[in-house]
Amino acid sequence: MPRLALVTAIAAAALDDDLVPLLDACARAGIVTQIRAWDDPTVTWSRFDAVLLRSPWDYTERLGEFLDWCAHVSTRSRLLNPLPVVRWNTDKHYLAALAERSVPVVATCFVEPDMDPLPTLQAFLAEHPQASEFVVKPAVGAGSRDAQRYSRDQEFAAANHIARLLDAERSAMLQPYLASVDRDGETALMFFDGRFSHAIRKGPLLQRDERPTEHLFAAEEITARIPGQDELALAGRVLAAAAECLHLQSPLTYARVDLIRDDDGSPRLLELELCEPSLFFVHAPGSADRFAALMADTLRGVSAT
């Protein structure tokens, strides 16, 4: 029988709501599935026909080590999604690459470790006079960890937040906080093998005057959602542009496209999750079985080569 490793982090395994439904679905699909921590040195990864990144959510604190591990595993098994995709997607500078391909992305300014935080922030605010609030977050991050929402009169506090990230040799991001998030939340669209599976609504995560969460990720308010046709169309554009950036010849095993609406109601890309996204199986009956069927097909293809 085909063998599949579901990769997590020790601190994250109990927080990954996808694991149990995926384990059950894989069992129904005839796949031998085991949960393993990515940094467990005792694991022999070549024993698995494929290695699926699920919730290795501590990689943001040691990205270089995680990418070295991904490269190691790629020589011994089939990493899903593959190494070039993981390298590209673990750093949100990919948003700039997508914007260059005319994807409507939430306006983003990157602040690099050699830049001066306060003048850069002031320039960003001058470029976006309509933004009454804005967000500071790291370019390499998971969930809402180290992210915070600020009003325009909090620029010194925000500049200190940026400086803390830069002092740790982490790039920071500035984005306007779109008011639609408080009203409509985010729409996350899940794609399996390039085909739309289901969508959910995320409630607003960042509250006014709330410090960044110190947990692995903040608690989320999740409900099922039927996406609009404009959201489906944009998600397709996003995936096509990503395929161009990465020179992909076939659809990705999984992708999650996170969208929010601009002030004029148009959807914009907030994040594209191709590395370790939650897929919210519990909010879409049958979705775990659809994904397990894809895994079974993938593993049969691995066995045939």
Side-chain angles (χ1 to χ4, degrees):
M1 295 178 69
R3 299 176 62 87
L4 175 68
L6 302 181
V7 177
T8 186
I10 292 174
L15 304 174
D16 185 355
D17 292 337
D18 288 340
L19 280 178
V20 171
L22 185 54
L23 283 170
D24 292 343
C26 284
R28 289 190 292 270
I31 303 170
V32 176
T33 310
Q34 296 181 3
I35 300 171
R36 291 290 182 265
W38 70 269
D39 56 353
D40 183 347
T42 68
V43 179
T44 303
W45 298 103
S46 58
R47 295 177 58 241
F48 298 98
D49 299 292
V51 174
L52 178 69
L53 296 176
R54 278 300 321 131
S55 45
W57 292 327
D58 60 354
Y59 76 86
T60 59
E61 305 298 323
R62 40 189 178 143
L63 180 60
E65 183 182 347
F66 176 70
L67 292 177
D68 287 345
W69 172 84
C70 289
H72 168 78
V73 169
S74 295
T75 66
R76 287 156 175 79
S77 184
R78 180 171 181 177
L79 182 68
L80 301 172
N81 281 320
L83 177 63
V85 176
V86 176
R87 288 191 186 280
W88 184 76
N89 192 237
T90 46
D91 187 323
K92 292 182 181 63
H93 282 83
Y94 68 77
L95 290 171
L98 294 175
E100 290 175 358
R101 286 166 169 78
S102 301
V103 172
V105 172
V106 174
T108 303
C109 172
F110 290 97
V111 190
E112 310 301 347
D114 61 349
M115 298 171 67
D116 194 335
L118 184 57
T120 304
L121 173 58
Q122 291 171 332
F124 171 80
L125 294 175
E127 290 174 7
H128 300 278
Q130 78 289 354
S132 60
E133 296 180 286
F134 60 96
V135 174
V136 175
K137 57 186 176 183
V140 176
S144 58
R145 190 174 188 183
D146 295 322
Q148 189 165 354
R149 172 180 172 181
Y150 293 95
S151 59
R152 295 182 75 92
D153 61 2
Q154 294 176 302
E155 67 175 34
F156 286 102
N160 286 334
H161 182 177
I162 297 168
R164 290 193 298 273
L165 294 173
L166 303 188
D167 287 346
E169 296 298 314
R170 304 174 72 187
S171 297
M173 300 166 56
L174 300 171
Q175 294 177 320
Y177 187 85
L178 300 182
S180 66
V181 175
D182 289 335
R183 181 184 68 248
D184 303 323
E186 304 173 22
T187 300
L189 298 92
M190 268 55 68
F191 290 80
F192 303 157
D193 197 31
R195 293 185 289 272
F196 173 70
S197 171
H198 59 284
I200 57 95
R201 175 193 183 274
K202 277 191 195 180
L205 287 175
L206 302 179
Q207 306 299 323
R208 291 186 180 94
D209 301 319
E210 184 178 81
R211 291 184 59 79
T213 181
E214 296 179 358
H215 301 291
L216 203 55
F217 62 88
E220 298 178 325
E221 177 191 333
I222 306 296
T223 54
R225 168 172 275 179
I226 298 174
Q229 289 300 313
D230 55 350
E231 292 174 316
L232 285 166
L234 177 53
R237 286 179 59 190
V238 169
L239 294 177
E244 289 180 7
C245 290
L246 291 160
H247 308 290
L248 299 177
Q249 301 301 312
S250 58
L252 292 167
T253 299
Y254 58 88
R256 195 184 87 203
V257 184
D258 292 350
L259 306 178
I260 57 178
R261 292 194 178 272
D262 207 342
D263 293 335
D264 66 0
S266 301
R268 286 187 173 268
L269 177 67
L270 180 63
E271 292 187 11
L272 173 61
E273 299 277 7
L274 307 178
C275 176
E276 32 59 55
S278 294
L279 297 173
F280 305 108
F281 294 128
V282 297
H283 297 279
S287 58
D289 286 296
R290 288 195 296 275
F291 191 80
L294 171 59
M295 289 291 93
D297 289 342
T298 299
L299 292 169
R300 280 193 291 271
V302 172
S303 300
T305 59

